[in-house]
Amino acid sequence: MVRSVRVARARPVIVWFRDDLRLSDHPALHEAASRGAPVVGLFIRDEASSALRPRAARPLGGATRWWLAQSLRALRKSLEAIGGTLVLRTGPAASVIATLARDIHVGAVFWNDIAQAPHQAIAADVESALASDGIDSQIFPGDLLVEPRAIRNKDNRGLRVFTPFWRRVQALGDPPKPLPAPKKLTPVSGVASEPVDDWDLEPTRPDWAGGLRDTWTPGEAAAQTRLKAFLDENISGYSDDRDRPGRDGTSRLSPHLRFGEISPRQVWYAARFAAAEQPRLAGDIDKFLSELGWREFCRHLLFDVPDMADRNLQAQFDAFPWKRDARAFKAWQRGLTGYPIVDAGMRELWHSGVMHNRVRMVVASFLVKHLLIDWRAGEQWFWDTLVDADAGSNPANWQWVAGSGADAAPYFRVFNPILQGEKFDPEGAYVRRWVPELAQLPNDLLHQPWTATPIELASAGVELGKTYPQPIVDHKQGRERALAAYAKIRRKD
Ligand code: FAD
């Protein structure tokens, strides 16, 4: 009784959602709900303040725009199910929030931090706009296991090598326990919202999102189901299976993590719990958590290097003799390079908005080394087509493959697309799925169809140059050309 009087009198709290489209383990929402105040969930389409900044937040690519639309619908449903609401507005965040705050007489605005320069700059504007109106704002950690400022070297810089970084994270012990989702929210009625359909986030003409719809269910509930299914059914053998693109051997949580439909702390605790229940899984779970560590590492790097998608982390690569080759780039984008594992990966990406991690490394290496095309072009294509396109993980991994990054693979290590295919897709399940025109070839020819005799090709229904391309570059020559290009920048260095 006493509580409901307090609620009736409390001024509303705005919870500003960004890349944290979930109800559970959402510190800002949790705090708002536990105050008993009426809660307005708010999501802002803010292309204006991003565009104005020198270190702009990147506009979303096509696949992430599609994901965002589905995820917002799922979030609205979950909020409404507990009595809350989700308001969508367009404009610069500071003025949208200040206007809404005045209109509905809010007491405070809460949000979770995103430790990325453009997001923090926009949030700082919001904070000062609210402060000048005398409105309280509170910011909570919620996107990472460990905040970047907690892991610094002697020079107060973030760590550039993964293994010591991950050791430091682990030495800090378990992160704070995930928070439960609020059971009930007190709504604020009559707050106008833009319809998500008006935001043009989904493709129409042409509607290329059929493969994404077939592959994914965005939203928090699906993320939780996915995590549970992975830990129940697929974690055993993860350390090896994670390298086998033909198997369902990884969690497929990356887009859910990208949009904060699930938090890394929730993944951490669920995995630790599974390891405690079944000690024989400990090795696989440690490996899985270390992959989550790579996400963390990439985000910490981004905190220190906000322009990581534009700039080589190793400056010697500024002089690298990249080639402009529009035809080769197009063949790579379309999965028509003549190398089956590369083409399978690029077609998986186009259809489903993701690509297996092992194959991401192979296709990226092929672009950068065999074709000598600047890693930034590949990174941008991934940014447009991946549903998990992440401002930290995407450029960090591209730079890792290119050799220009932090803790990078050495440039002279050139992935051999034939051996990679034979080693990691030995039964050809992955290539046969995504390059069906080669499906009838036997395993020993599948990853190098150009070595087949005319009879072997004919009996598999393959006509090289017609039904499937000849390799656009010879592997050996491509490799030697890449090493020669690298030698040039080493000499300059
Ligand atoms: P799991 O093996 O189940 O791993 C669990 C989680 O750990 C993932 O969901 C992801 O959040 C994280 N993770 C795993 N590997 C990495 C890694 N190498 N770097 C950072 N985090 C990792 N991942 C993205 O989330 N977004 C990207 O934009 C992205 N771009 C990439 C570009 C290239 C060139 C390469 C080589 C890798 C890229 N990755 C990216 C990393 C990795 O390929 C994906 O995270 C992984 O394939 C997602 O599948 P999963 O969720 O089943 O992974």
Coordinates of all heavy atoms in Angstrom, one line a residue, residues 36-104:
G36 N 10.7 2.0 -8.4 CA 9.2 2.1 -8.4 C 8.7 3.2 -9.2 O 7.5 3.4 -9.2
A37 N 9.5 3.9 -9.9 CA 9.0 5.0 -10.7 C 8.4 4.5 -12.0 O 8.8 3.4 -12.5 CB 10.1 5.9 -11.1
P38 N 7.5 5.2 -12.6 CA 7.0 4.9 -14.0 C 8.2 4.9 -14.9 O 9.1 5.8 -14.8 CB 6.0 5.9 -14.3 CG 5.6 6.6 -13.0 CD 6.8 6.4 -12.1
V39 N 8.3 4.0 -15.9 CA 9.4 3.9 -16.8 C 9.0 4.1 -18.2 O 8.1 3.4 -18.7 CB 10.1 2.5 -16.6 CG1 11.2 2.3 -17.6 CG2 10.7 2.4 -15.2
V40 N 9.8 4.9 -18.9 CA 9.6 5.0 -20.4 C 10.9 4.5 -21.0 O 12.0 5.0 -20.8 CB 9.5 6.5 -20.8 CG1 9.3 6.6 -22.3 CG2 8.3 7.1 -20.1
G41 N 10.8 3.4 -21.8 CA 11.9 2.9 -22.5 C 12.0 3.8 -23.8 O 11.0 4.1 -24.5
L42 N 13.2 4.2 -24.1 CA 13.4 5.1 -25.3 C 14.5 4.6 -26.2 O 15.6 4.2 -25.7 CB 13.8 6.5 -24.8 CG 14.1 7.5 -25.9 CD1 12.9 7.9 -26.8 CD2 14.7 8.8 -25.2
F43 N 14.3 4.5 -27.5 CA 15.3 4.2 -28.4 C 15.4 5.3 -29.5 O 14.3 5.7 -30.0 CB 15.1 2.9 -29.1 CG 16.3 2.5 -30.0 CD1 17.3 1.8 -29.5 CD2 16.4 2.9 -31.3 CE1 18.4 1.4 -30.3 CE2 17.5 2.6 -32.1 CZ 18.5 1.9 -31.6
I44 N 16.6 5.9 -29.7 CA 16.7 7.0 -30.6 C 17.4 6.7 -31.9 O 18.5 6.1 -31.9 CB 17.4 8.2 -29.9 CG1 16.7 8.5 -28.6 CG2 17.5 9.4 -30.8 CD1 17.5 9.5 -27.8
R45 N 16.8 7.0 -33.0 CA 17.5 6.9 -34.3 C 18.2 8.2 -34.5 O 17.6 9.2 -34.8 CB 16.5 6.7 -35.4 CG 17.2 6.5 -36.8 CD 16.2 6.1 -37.8 NE 15.1 7.1 -37.9 CZ 14.5 7.4 -39.1 NH1 14.8 6.8 -40.2 NH2 13.5 8.2 -39.1
D46 N 19.5 8.2 -34.2 CA 20.3 9.5 -34.1 C 21.3 9.5 -35.2 O 22.5 9.1 -35.0 CB 20.9 9.6 -32.7 CG 21.7 10.9 -32.6 OD1 21.7 11.7 -33.6 OD2 22.3 11.1 -31.5
E47 N 20.9 9.8 -36.4 CA 21.9 9.9 -37.5 C 22.5 11.3 -37.4 O 23.6 11.5 -37.9 CB 21.3 9.6 -38.8 CG 21.2 8.1 -39.0 CD 20.1 7.6 -39.9 OE1 19.4 8.4 -40.6 OE2 19.8 6.4 -39.9
A48 N 21.8 12.3 -36.8 CA 22.3 13.7 -36.8 C 23.5 13.8 -36.0 O 24.6 14.3 -36.5 CB 21.2 14.6 -36.3
S49 N 23.5 13.5 -34.7 CA 24.7 13.8 -33.9 C 25.9 12.9 -34.3 O 27.0 13.3 -34.2 CB 24.5 13.7 -32.4 OG 23.6 12.8 -32.0
S50 N 25.6 11.7 -34.8 CA 26.7 10.9 -35.3 C 27.4 11.6 -36.5 O 28.6 11.6 -36.5 CB 26.2 9.5 -35.8 OG 25.5 8.9 -34.8
A51 N 26.6 12.1 -37.4 CA 27.2 12.6 -38.6 C 28.0 13.8 -38.4 O 29.0 14.1 -39.1 CB 26.1 12.9 -39.6
L52 N 27.7 14.6 -37.3 CA 28.4 15.8 -37.1 C 29.8 15.7 -36.4 O 30.6 16.5 -36.4 CB 27.6 16.7 -36.2 CG 26.3 17.3 -36.8 CD1 25.5 18.0 -35.8 CD2 26.7 18.2 -38.0
R53 N 30.0 14.5 -35.9 CA 31.2 14.4 -35.1 C 32.4 14.0 -35.9 O 32.3 13.3 -36.9 CB 31.0 13.3 -34.0 CG 29.8 13.5 -33.3 CD 29.8 12.9 -31.9 NE 28.8 13.7 -31.2 CZ 29.1 14.8 -30.4 NH1 30.4 15.1 -30.2 NH2 28.2 15.5 -29.9
P54 N 33.6 14.4 -35.5 CA 34.7 14.0 -36.2 C 35.0 12.5 -36.1 O 35.3 11.9 -37.1 CB 35.9 14.8 -35.6 CG 35.4 15.3 -34.3 CD 33.9 15.4 -34.4
R55 N 34.7 11.9 -35.0 CA 34.8 10.5 -34.9 C 33.4 9.9 -34.8 O 32.9 9.5 -33.8 CB 35.6 10.1 -33.6 CG 37.1 10.5 -33.7 CD 37.8 10.1 -32.5 NE 37.2 10.7 -31.3 CZ 37.8 10.9 -30.1 NH1 39.1 10.6 -30.0 NH2 37.2 11.4 -29.1
A56 N 32.8 9.9 -36.0 CA 31.4 9.5 -36.0 C 31.1 8.1 -35.7 O 31.9 7.2 -36.0 CB 30.8 9.8 -37.4
A57 N 30.0 7.8 -35.1 CA 29.5 6.4 -35.0 C 29.2 6.0 -36.4 O 28.5 6.7 -37.1 CB 28.3 6.4 -34.1
R58 N 29.6 4.8 -36.8 CA 29.3 4.4 -38.2 C 27.9 4.2 -38.4 O 27.2 3.5 -37.6 CB 30.1 3.1 -38.5 CG 31.6 3.3 -38.5 CD 32.2 1.9 -38.7 NE 32.3 1.5 -40.1 CZ 33.0 0.4 -40.5 NH1 33.6 -0.3 -39.6 NH2 33.1 0.1 -41.7
P59 N 27.3 4.7 -39.5 CA 25.9 4.3 -39.8 C 25.8 2.8 -40.0 O 26.8 2.2 -40.5 CB 25.7 5.0 -41.2 CG 26.8 5.9 -41.4 CD 28.0 5.5 -40.5
L60 N 24.7 2.2 -39.5 CA 24.6 0.7 -39.6 C 24.6 0.3 -41.1 O 24.2 1.0 -42.0 CB 23.3 0.3 -39.0 CG 23.1 0.5 -37.5 CD1 21.7 0.0 -37.1 CD2 24.2 -0.2 -36.7
G61 N 25.1 -0.9 -41.3 CA 25.0 -1.5 -42.6 C 23.7 -2.1 -42.9 O 22.8 -2.1 -42.0
G62 N 23.4 -2.7 -44.1 CA 22.1 -3.2 -44.4 C 21.6 -4.3 -43.5 O 20.5 -4.3 -43.1
A63 N 22.5 -5.3 -43.2 CA 22.1 -6.4 -42.4 C 21.8 -6.1 -41.0 O 20.9 -6.6 -40.4 CB 23.2 -7.5 -42.5
T64 N 22.6 -5.1 -40.4 CA 22.4 -4.8 -39.0 C 21.1 -3.9 -38.9 O 20.4 -3.9 -37.9 CB 23.6 -4.0 -38.4 OG1 24.2 -3.2 -39.4 CG2 24.6 -5.0 -37.9
R65 N 20.8 -3.1 -40.0 CA 19.6 -2.4 -40.0 C 18.4 -3.3 -39.9 O 17.4 -3.1 -39.2 CB 19.4 -1.5 -41.2 CG 20.3 -0.3 -41.2 CD 20.4 0.4 -42.6 NE 19.2 1.0 -43.0 CZ 18.8 2.2 -42.6 NH1 19.6 3.0 -41.9 NH2 17.6 2.7 -43.1
W66 N 18.5 -4.4 -40.7 CA 17.4 -5.4 -40.7 C 17.3 -6.0 -39.3 O 16.2 -6.1 -38.7 CB 17.7 -6.5 -41.7 CG 16.7 -7.6 -41.6 CD1 15.5 -7.7 -42.2 CD2 16.8 -8.8 -40.8 NE1 14.8 -8.8 -41.8 CE2 15.6 -9.6 -41.0 CE3 17.8 -9.3 -39.9 CZ2 15.4 -10.8 -40.3 CZ3 17.5 -10.5 -39.3 CH2 16.3 -11.2 -39.5
W67 N 18.4 -6.3 -38.7 CA 18.4 -6.9 -37.3 C 17.8 -6.0 -36.3 O 16.9 -6.3 -35.5 CB 19.8 -7.3 -36.9 CG 19.8 -8.2 -35.7 CD1 19.5 -7.7 -34.4 CD2 20.0 -9.6 -35.6 NE1 19.6 -8.8 -33.5 CE2 19.8 -9.9 -34.2 CE3 20.2 -10.6 -36.5 CZ2 20.0 -11.2 -33.7 CZ3 20.4 -11.9 -36.0 CH2 20.2 -12.2 -34.6
L68 N 18.2 -4.7 -36.4 CA 17.7 -3.7 -35.5 C 16.2 -3.7 -35.5 O 15.5 -3.6 -34.4 CB 18.3 -2.4 -35.8 CG 17.8 -1.2 -34.9 CD1 18.2 -1.4 -33.4 CD2 18.4 0.1 -35.4
A69 N 15.6 -3.6 -36.7 CA 14.1 -3.6 -36.7 C 13.5 -4.7 -36.0 O 12.5 -4.5 -35.2 CB 13.7 -3.6 -38.2
Q70 N 14.0 -5.9 -36.2 CA 13.4 -7.1 -35.5 C 13.6 -7.0 -34.0 O 12.7 -7.3 -33.2 CB 14.0 -8.4 -36.0 CG 14.3 -8.5 -37.5 CD 13.2 -8.1 -38.4 OE1 12.0 -8.5 -38.2 NE2 13.4 -7.2 -39.4
S71 N 14.8 -6.5 -33.7 CA 15.1 -6.5 -32.2 C 14.3 -5.5 -31.5 O 13.9 -5.7 -30.3 CB 16.6 -6.2 -32.1 OG 17.1 -6.5 -30.8
L72 N 14.0 -4.4 -32.1 CA 13.2 -3.3 -31.5 C 11.8 -3.8 -31.3 O 11.2 -3.6 -30.3 CB 13.2 -2.0 -32.3 CG 14.5 -1.3 -32.3 CD1 14.5 -0.1 -33.3 CD2 14.8 -0.7 -30.9
R73 N 11.3 -4.6 -32.3 CA 9.9 -5.1 -32.1 C 9.9 -6.1 -30.9 O 9.0 -6.1 -30.2 CB 9.5 -5.9 -33.4 CG 9.2 -4.9 -34.5 CD 8.6 -5.6 -35.7 NE 8.5 -4.7 -36.8 CZ 9.3 -4.8 -37.9 NH1 10.1 -5.8 -38.1 NH2 9.2 -3.8 -38.9
A74 N 10.9 -6.9 -30.9 CA 11.0 -7.9 -29.8 C 11.1 -7.2 -28.4 O 10.4 -7.6 -27.5 CB 12.2 -8.9 -30.0
L75 N 11.9 -6.1 -28.4 CA 12.0 -5.4 -27.1 C 10.7 -4.8 -26.7 O 10.3 -4.8 -25.5 CB 13.1 -4.3 -27.3 CG 13.4 -3.5 -26.0 CD1 14.0 -4.3 -24.9 CD2 14.4 -2.3 -26.3
R76 N 10.1 -4.2 -27.7 CA 8.8 -3.5 -27.4 C 7.8 -4.5 -26.8 O 7.2 -4.3 -25.8 CB 8.2 -2.9 -28.6 CG 6.7 -2.6 -28.4 CD 6.1 -1.7 -29.5 NE 6.6 -0.4 -29.5 CZ 6.7 0.4 -30.5 NH1 6.4 0.0 -31.7 NH2 7.1 1.6 -30.4
K77 N 7.7 -5.7 -27.4 CA 6.8 -6.8 -26.9 C 7.2 -7.2 -25.5 O 6.3 -7.3 -24.6 CB 7.0 -8.0 -27.8 CG 5.8 -8.3 -28.6 CD 6.0 -9.7 -29.2 CE 4.9 -10.1 -30.1 NZ 5.2 -11.2 -30.9
S78 N 8.5 -7.3 -25.2 CA 8.9 -7.8 -23.8 C 8.6 -6.7 -22.8 O 8.1 -6.9 -21.7 CB 10.3 -8.1 -23.7 OG 10.8 -8.7 -24.8
L79 N 8.8 -5.4 -23.2 CA 8.5 -4.3 -22.3 C 7.0 -4.3 -22.0 O 6.5 -4.1 -20.9 CB 9.0 -3.0 -22.8 CG 10.5 -2.7 -22.6 CD1 10.9 -1.5 -23.5 CD2 10.8 -2.4 -21.2
E80 N 6.2 -4.4 -23.1 CA 4.8 -4.3 -22.9 C 4.2 -5.4 -22.1 O 3.3 -5.3 -21.3 CB 4.1 -4.2 -24.3 CG 4.3 -2.9 -24.9 CD 3.7 -2.7 -26.3 OE1 3.2 -3.7 -26.9 OE2 3.8 -1.6 -26.9
A81 N 4.9 -6.6 -22.2 CA 4.4 -7.7 -21.4 C 4.5 -7.5 -19.9 O 3.8 -8.1 -19.1 CB 5.2 -9.0 -21.8
I82 N 5.4 -6.6 -19.5 CA 5.5 -6.3 -18.0 C 5.0 -4.9 -17.7 O 5.3 -4.4 -16.7 CB 7.0 -6.5 -17.5 CG1 8.0 -5.7 -18.3 CG2 7.4 -8.0 -17.6 CD1 9.3 -5.5 -17.6
G83 N 4.2 -4.4 -18.6 CA 3.5 -3.1 -18.3 C 4.3 -1.9 -18.8 O 3.8 -0.8 -18.5
G84 N 5.4 -2.1 -19.4 CA 6.2 -0.9 -19.8 C 5.9 -0.5 -21.3 O 4.9 -1.0 -21.9
T85 N 6.7 0.3 -21.8 CA 6.5 0.8 -23.1 C 7.9 1.2 -23.8 O 8.8 1.4 -23.1 CB 5.6 2.1 -23.1 OG1 5.4 2.6 -24.4 CG2 6.2 3.2 -22.3
L86 N 7.9 1.1 -25.1 CA 9.1 1.5 -25.8 C 8.7 2.6 -26.8 O 7.9 2.4 -27.7 CB 9.7 0.3 -26.6 CG 11.0 0.7 -27.4 CD1 12.2 1.0 -26.4 CD2 11.5 -0.4 -28.3
V87 N 9.4 3.8 -26.6 CA 9.1 4.9 -27.5 C 10.3 5.1 -28.4 O 11.4 5.0 -28.0 CB 9.0 6.2 -26.6 CG1 9.0 7.4 -27.4 CG2 7.8 6.1 -25.7
L88 N 10.0 5.2 -29.7 CA 11.0 5.4 -30.7 C 10.9 6.9 -31.2 O 9.9 7.4 -31.5 CB 10.8 4.5 -31.9 CG 10.6 3.0 -31.7 CD1 10.5 2.3 -33.0 CD2 11.8 2.5 -30.9
R89 N 12.1 7.5 -31.2 CA 12.1 8.9 -31.7 C 13.4 9.1 -32.6 O 14.4 8.4 -32.5 CB 12.3 9.9 -30.5 CG 11.0 9.9 -29.6 CD 10.0 10.9 -30.2 NE 8.8 10.8 -29.4 CZ 8.4 11.6 -28.4 NH1 9.2 12.6 -28.0 NH2 7.2 11.5 -27.9
T90 N 13.3 10.1 -33.5 CA 14.4 10.4 -34.4 C 15.0 11.7 -34.1 O 14.2 12.7 -33.8 CB 13.9 10.4 -35.8 OG1 13.4 9.1 -36.1 CG2 15.0 10.7 -36.8
G91 N 16.3 11.9 -34.1 CA 16.9 13.2 -33.9 C 18.2 13.1 -33.1 O 18.5 12.0 -32.7
P92 N 18.8 14.3 -32.9 CA 20.0 14.2 -32.1 C 19.7 13.8 -30.7 O 18.7 14.4 -30.1 CB 20.5 15.7 -32.1 CG 19.7 16.3 -33.2 CD 18.5 15.6 -33.4
A93 N 20.4 12.9 -30.1 CA 20.0 12.3 -28.8 C 19.8 13.4 -27.7 O 18.8 13.3 -27.0 CB 21.0 11.3 -28.3
A94 N 20.7 14.4 -27.7 CA 20.6 15.4 -26.6 C 19.2 16.1 -26.7 O 18.5 16.3 -25.7 CB 21.7 16.3 -26.6
S95 N 18.9 16.5 -27.9 CA 17.6 17.3 -27.9 C 16.4 16.4 -27.8 O 15.4 16.8 -27.2 CB 17.6 18.2 -29.2 OG 17.5 17.5 -30.3
V96 N 16.4 15.2 -28.4 CA 15.3 14.3 -28.2 C 15.0 14.0 -26.7 O 13.9 14.1 -26.3 CB 15.5 13.0 -29.0 CG1 14.5 11.9 -28.6 CG2 15.5 13.2 -30.5
I97 N 16.1 13.7 -26.0 CA 15.9 13.3 -24.6 C 15.5 14.5 -23.8 O 14.6 14.4 -23.0 CB 17.2 12.6 -24.0 CG1 17.4 11.3 -24.8 CG2 17.1 12.4 -22.5 CD1 18.6 10.5 -24.3
A98 N 16.1 15.7 -24.0 CA 15.8 16.8 -23.2 C 14.3 17.2 -23.5 O 13.6 17.6 -22.5 CB 16.7 18.0 -23.6
T99 N 13.9 17.1 -24.7 CA 12.5 17.5 -25.0 C 11.5 16.5 -24.4 O 10.5 17.0 -23.7 CB 12.2 17.5 -26.6 OG1 13.2 18.3 -27.2 CG2 10.9 18.0 -26.9
L100 N 11.8 15.3 -24.5 CA 10.9 14.3 -23.9 C 10.9 14.4 -22.4 O 9.8 14.3 -21.7 CB 11.3 12.9 -24.3 CG 10.4 11.7 -23.8 CD1 9.0 11.8 -24.3 CD2 11.0 10.4 -24.2
A101 N 12.0 14.7 -21.8 CA 12.1 14.8 -20.4 C 11.3 16.0 -19.9 O 10.6 15.9 -18.9 CB 13.6 15.0 -20.0
R102 N 11.3 17.1 -20.6 CA 10.5 18.2 -20.2 C 9.0 17.9 -20.4 O 8.2 18.2 -19.5 CB 10.8 19.4 -21.1 CG 12.0 20.3 -20.5 CD 12.2 21.5 -21.4 NE 13.6 21.4 -21.8 CZ 14.0 21.5 -23.1 NH1 13.2 21.6 -24.1 NH2 15.3 21.4 -23.4
D103 N 8.7 17.3 -21.6 CA 7.3 17.0 -21.9 C 6.6 16.1 -20.8 O 5.4 16.3 -20.5 CB 7.1 16.3 -23.2 CG 7.4 17.2 -24.4 OD1 7.6 18.5 -24.1 OD2 7.5 16.8 -25.5
I104 N 7.3 15.1 -20.3 CA 6.6 14.2 -19.4 C 7.2 14.4 -18.0 O 6.9 13.5 -17.1 CB 6.7 12.7 -19.9 CG1 8.2 12.3 -20.0 CG2 6.0 12.5 -21.2 CD1 8.3 10.8 -20.3

